[in-house]
Structures are given as structure tokens and as C-alpha cells.
Amino acid sequence: MFHRSPCHIMKSLLMLAAVWTFVSFSACAGAPQYESVCGAADETDCKDDSALFQSALRPAIRLEENMRSPVEWDPDLLERPCLLEWMKETQTSTEQVCSDDPRNNIKSDKGNYIQFTRREDRLMYNVWQNALQDCIIGESYVRDIVASFAERTSCFKTETELLDDESMYVPAKELVDGRIVVNGESSKVLCKGSSKTASQTQLHVQLDLFRNLVSQWDHNGDTKNRTSVCKDMLSAHVLSEYAFIGVLWSTRPAACNTTAAFYDQSLCKASEKYLLDFLSRDLFAQTGGGFKGRAAKGENERAERCKEKVLKGRKWYEVLSMDIGITEENTKCSVATEASVFPEPVVKGTNHYDQANNIIADAYRQCGAPLVAGISGTMPQYLASAAAGPTKQGYQFSKALSEKEVLTLMSMLELAGFHAMTGLTMGVNFYYKKMVVTPPFDSGAFEGPHDGIIRCHDHETHCCTNSTKVGGFYNHQVYLEMIQAWEQKVQELWPAGVSSF
């Protein structure tokens, strides 16, 4: 069981806002205390066992001699060996590492609290289960999402040449000394192309695969027969056969097809404006070779070293898995599921990017929010596609999608290990232009050019710029409130549905 020592830690904070650094020191005479794994109620009996979590994350309250140096990364994680080595050295069991006890402060080698990644995985699996059941009994929103993929508008103006004009670009930004600088260059957002979809002919073949899924659903009235196609529709975006990333980057929303019966000029313009506006936010600035909280190559040496021990010489995209979500597989903490989400092993995004060391990654880290590939630029592309799909003709863009559709799109990306909930939530709120659920931070007001790098929604502990810890945790209260709000929303949307909470 977990046990809290009776030693009360008193904190003194020195906030150095000019350098975005917060430091603290302990006024407690003894060493900082942690939640520990032990079976005894007496503190004396817990001393040896407390090393399990103490060595996972070194003292959270910094001593005065450390106050002069800015806090970078998670200093406690930097001092810890790679997770599997640490488990062996400290004889920490998988059960302890994977525990969902709120006091479990063990992090993965990516720097994410494992109990939080597991919680996000359970939440999104719950959405997947309910969306699957709705699809099987005949609700059409999963089918409509896939139809929006199947009917996307080609960007090819010749067999191999893509459309290209100024309207498809956003200004390129860089984060320099804590300030956003527009560097005079531009970045292509629409019709940027992909080697996975190198020609018009190849695109037609790929789109036909999605059309075939839609046709199967349309002509299968039997719920038993629909189960298989519904599963395929929810996973097609990540299956190599469909090459959806190539399709996405070589097409525009379906409503933009001027020759189609479902052409909708207003919906087309609104969907692409949303995409361009969101992807031009300051949070998408380049950061010294990194991006959106992602580390540049060589920046996060510890994470790269630990990852290499897992990959064992393989490329990240050569590692396939049936496990769901953003929980790293080397932790052996993946959430067990009643049904397989994927029909075959798939590439997982969790094996790719590492956390950076800048104010965007710091906001994730210090608010306790799992970071997987940073702010999601793919989520707004999925939203724009679904909201401007062939069944949405005549809709107002911001009202075209139901919350069930939005959560289903979120689950598709989270379960594939592409993005975590905080980065997905930002694109959702920007779509609705309101706080559907409040994340720990975002990029500022929804309207206007001066959005700001970070708008922190933690008005108590100010987690975005506060590097102090309590009990081995950064200040994660607002993050947990966000997750709780999503869980509540899922229960309200599917009150009689399947639940894995």
C-alpha cells in the first residue's frame, strides 16, 4: 500500500519570471518525503521501502544551493537510469510501475507520468468501444467520418504535380529567446504532398479503399456483419494498406470538390480557414530544430539513449504493436482491452518524438500533462475533413460535428499513440471557438493575430512556469480537471454505453 510520511514539507518559492524559472527549497530539517510502497503503518518500517519511489524521482524540493541554476528538463528524471535498468536496480515490480494509485509518481523514459498515460488510454478506449457499438447498431457518424476521408478532393493538377499557391501557406515562425519571430519564410499546410501518395493514380486507388469500407457499411444491415467493417473503419487511418497520411497531405476536404454533388463553397472555405488559422498559432513555432514541444535530434540525449535500448537498432516505424494508446510499451503498462482495436500490428507514434527543453515542453512537463509529439496538427486536419465531408453539405462549419464525432476522431489519434489529450483538446476548442474542456494551457484567444505563445489556465499554482514539485509530482491539478471533464462528457454522451472507467 502507499504511505505518506508525517513529515510536513514547508515550501518557499522564488519566482524568477524573467527567465521562466521557479525554484524552491525545503524548510524541513529532514530529507524530502515521498509517497512510498510499503506494508507498514509505522514510518520506521517504511524507510527501506520508500527508496522505490525516492530513487525514481529525486527530491522534489530543491535545496538552496541549486537555486542559482535555471531548472531544465526534469532534473529528477535526468538522474534516473532508463526505466528497465532502474526497475532492476531497485527491484521495483511492474505492478508498482504500472499502478493507477494517484500517488504513483513514476515516469516513463519519455518523461510522462505512467498513471496519466494509462488513464488517457482507458478514456479513449472507452470512446472507441462506444463508437464501435454505435456503428454496429446503425448510427452513421463513424461511417460519415470515413466517407469524409474517402471523398477528399485531389490536390493533383497533373498526374504527379500538386496545386501550389500562396493561400496554401502560413508564415513560418521561430521561438528565439522566449519570443516569437516571423522569419520571412512560409510553410505549406494545404496540399503539401507525400511520398506515400506520389501520383493521381495512386491517390485514386487509396481513396477507393476507403470508399469500399463505406460501401460495405451501407450494404450490411446485419449487425453481426457490421462488426468487422466498423472495426476496420475505426482503424483504417493507421493501417499501412490505406496510407492515409499520404491521402491527407495530397487532398483537400470533400466540400472543396467543385465537380461533386456535395460541393459546398462556404464549407470548403471555412474548413481550410480553420486549418490555416490554427496551424499558424504561436505554439507551432520552430524551436531550434524542434517543433510543438518536440525535441530536435540530439537535444534530449537521455530519451534518445533509452529509446535506442528499446529499438535495438530498428527504425521507430519498423516497430509494430497491437497495444493501444500513448503508454510506452517498454514499461509493460499498456492497458489491457477486451477487444483488439487494430486488426493487425501497427506503427505507434510513441516510438518517435522526444520531449524538448523549451517553454512549450516545459508547460506540458510542469503541468503534468503527457506529451506525445506535442500540439496536434493532425487533429485539426481530421476535424476539418469530417466537418466538410460529403454528408455535411449546408452545415455551418463550427456546428457540423457532434461531440461523439469529435471524441471518435480524438480516440483514433490517441489509441494509435500519435498524440496525447492536451494536444488534441486544443484543436477541438479552436474548432468550436469555446472551451469545451479547459486544458492546462493553450495559445491564447481564439480570434485575432496576437494569440501569444502560452496562455496558462492554472491560476493557482501557475504550472506552466512553475517547476516545483510536491510528492514527486509537478503541479498537475488543472490537467487532472481536464481529464475528469472529458470522462464526465463521455459518460453523459453514452449514459448506457460500454464503460472501462
Side-chain angles (χ1 to χ4, degrees):
M1 62 178 289
F2 291 90
H3 174 72
R4 181 182 297 276
S5 167
C7 175
H8 298 289
I9 299 175
M10 298 183 294
K11 297 175 295 184
S12 296
L13 300 178
L14 286 177
M15 299 186 176
L16 304 177
V19 293
W20 291 71
T21 305
F22 284 67
V23 291
S24 65
F25 61 91
S26 174
C28 183
Q33 301 298 310
Y34 286 80
E35 307 299 346
S36 59
V37 180
C38 59
D42 190 318
E43 183 187 7
T44 304
D45 295 333
C46 288
K47 287 181 178 178
D48 292 336
D49 293 326
S50 66
L52 293 175
F53 280 129
Q54 287 185 28
S55 54
L57 290 167
R58 300 287 181 186
I61 306 302
R62 294 283 155 201
L63 298 179
E64 192 166 1
E65 58 263 26
N66 289 333
M67 290 169 55
R68 290 182 289 274
S69 299
V71 175
E72 296 186 351
W73 308 101
D74 180 342
D76 309 317
L77 187 63
L78 288 179
E79 296 176 11
R80 192 193 78 183
C82 298
L83 181 63
L84 296 182
E85 296 173 6
W86 173 79
M87 290 173 65
K88 185 175 181 180
E89 289 178 8
T90 58
Q91 298 184 345
T92 304
S93 69
T94 299
E95 289 73 20
Q96 291 165 336
V97 171
C98 303
S99 171
D100 294 321
D101 189 291
R103 294 163 292 185
N104 178 9
N105 57 33
I106 297 177
K107 282 188 169 184
S108 71
D109 288 324
K110 289 284 188 181
N112 296 324
Y113 292 112
I114 295 171
Q115 64 150 309
F116 293 167
T117 63
R118 283 176 50 82
R119 187 165 177 174
E120 292 193 15
D121 293 346
R122 283 195 302 274
L123 170 61
M124 290 292 97
Y125 178 64
N126 196 28
V127 171
W128 180 89
Q129 285 180 297
N130 284 290
L132 175 64
Q133 188 59 35
D134 284 349
C135 178
I136 291 170
I137 64 175
E139 288 195 40
S140 66
Y141 63 87
V142 172
R143 177 253 183 227
D144 293 345
I145 288 172
V146 177
S148 81
F149 298 165
E151 301 299 337
R152 286 181 62 84
T153 305
S154 173
C155 287
F156 287 99
K157 64 179 181 180
T158 68
E159 174 63 14
T160 58
E161 188 179 2
L162 294 167
L163 295 168
D164 188 48
D165 63 64
E166 292 183 1
S167 68
M168 298 176 175
Y169 290 77
V170 297
K173 300 179 179 180
E174 294 183 47
L175 180 63
V176 180
D177 297 328
R179 296 182 302 107
I180 293 296
V181 176
V182 179
N183 63 16
E185 299 179 359
S186 56
S187 177
K188 194 173 187 184
V189 170
L190 303 177
C191 299
K192 62 181 180 179
S194 167
S195 60
K196 296 182 181 296
T197 305
S199 68
Q200 180 72 61
T201 300
Q202 188 175 16
L203 174 62
H204 280 316
V205 171
Q206 292 164 345
L207 291 176
D208 281 343
L209 293 174
F210 285 100
R211 291 189 183 107
N212 182 52
L213 288 176
V214 175
S215 178
Q216 287 182 54
W217 190 90
D218 288 344
H219 295 93
N220 260 325
D222 190 310
T223 57
K224 183 178 180 180
N225 292 332
R226 273 200 184 133
T227 301
S228 178
V229 69
C230 286
K231 280 189 173 183
D232 287 347
M233 287 197 292
L234 286 166
S235 62
H237 70 110
V238 74
L239 300 179
S240 58
E241 176 186 3
Y242 293 85
F244 185 55
I245 194 66
V247 171
L248 196 64
W249 289 356
S250 305
T251 55
R252 300 165 65 190
C256 300
N257 187 347
T258 58
T259 64
F262 43 77
Y263 170 63
D264 188 321
Q265 184 182 31
S266 175
L267 200 54
C268 171
K269 287 184 176 180
S271 64
E272 295 194 329
K273 183 180 186 303
Y274 158 74
L275 193 57
L276 290 164
D277 286 350
F278 186 73
L279 295 181
S280 65
R281 306 291 280 183
D282 286 353
L283 282 176
F284 287 88
Q286 295 288 333
T287 52
F291 186 47
K292 307 185 302 183
R294 301 172 180 172
K297 185 175 181 180
E299 180 182 356
N300 191 336
E301 295 179 0
R302 182 195 180 280
E304 290 184 7
R305 172 170 45 83
C306 294
K307 180 168 62 178
E308 185 54 41
K309 292 181 179 181
V310 174
L311 295 179
K312 298 177 181 177
R314 298 170 294 177
K315 301 293 186 182
W316 72 272
Y317 51 80
E318 295 174 335
V319 180
L320 306 180
S321 174
M322 292 289 285
D323 290 341
I324 66 164
I326 62 171
T327 301
E328 294 169 55
E329 290 180 58
N330 71 307
T331 64
K332 303 186 185 303
C333 294
S334 298
V335 172
T337 60
E338 296 176 6
S340 295
V341 170
F342 311 112
E344 62 189 47
V346 299
V347 175
K348 294 291 294 297
T350 48
N351 292 320
H352 196 190
Y353 300 107
D354 301 310
Q355 291 186 12
N357 185 33
N358 55 51
I359 62 173
I360 297 172
D362 287 348
Y364 268 101
R365 186 161 41 244
Q366 294 166 176
C367 296
L371 191 163
V372 178
I375 316 299
S376 178
T378 310
M379 183 65 190
Q381 293 187 65
Y382 277 39
L383 286 167
S385 183
T391 63
K392 304 299 183 179
Q393 188 179 37
Y395 278 79
Q396 182 179 332
F397 175 71
S398 62
K399 297 181 179 179
L401 295 176
S402 69
E403 289 187 336
K404 280 189 175 184
E405 288 172 289
V406 168
L407 276 159
T408 299
L409 292 168
M410 294 175 74
S411 74
M412 292 166 73
L413 290 169
E414 198 279 346
L415 292 176
F418 292 156
H419 285 286
M421 292 297 294
T422 301
L424 295 170
T425 298
M426 294 181 199
V428 172
N429 288 342
F430 200 79
Y431 168 72
Y432 286 113
K433 294 293 191 292
K434 67 177 183 179
M435 290 293 182
V436 178
V437 166
T438 302
F441 66 94
D442 59 22
S443 61
F446 299 128
E447 304 287 355
H450 303 292
D451 47 300
I453 306 172
I454 296 285
R455 174 174 63 171
C456 197
H457 295 293
D458 180 355
H459 303 299
E460 294 186 14
T461 65
H462 307 285
C463 63
C464 304
T465 55
N466 183 350
S467 63
T468 62
K469 294 182 183 178
V470 176
F473 285 101
Y474 284 113
N475 295 283
H476 57 280
Q477 293 86 345
V478 175
Y479 164 74
L480 285 184
E481 289 170 4
M482 178 192 74
I483 295 300
Q484 290 163 358
W486 277 123
E487 289 170 343
Q488 180 63 34
K489 191 169 288 291
V490 169
Q491 290 175 337
E492 291 171 354
L493 288 170
W494 289 282
V498 182
S499 177
S500 57
F501 295 144

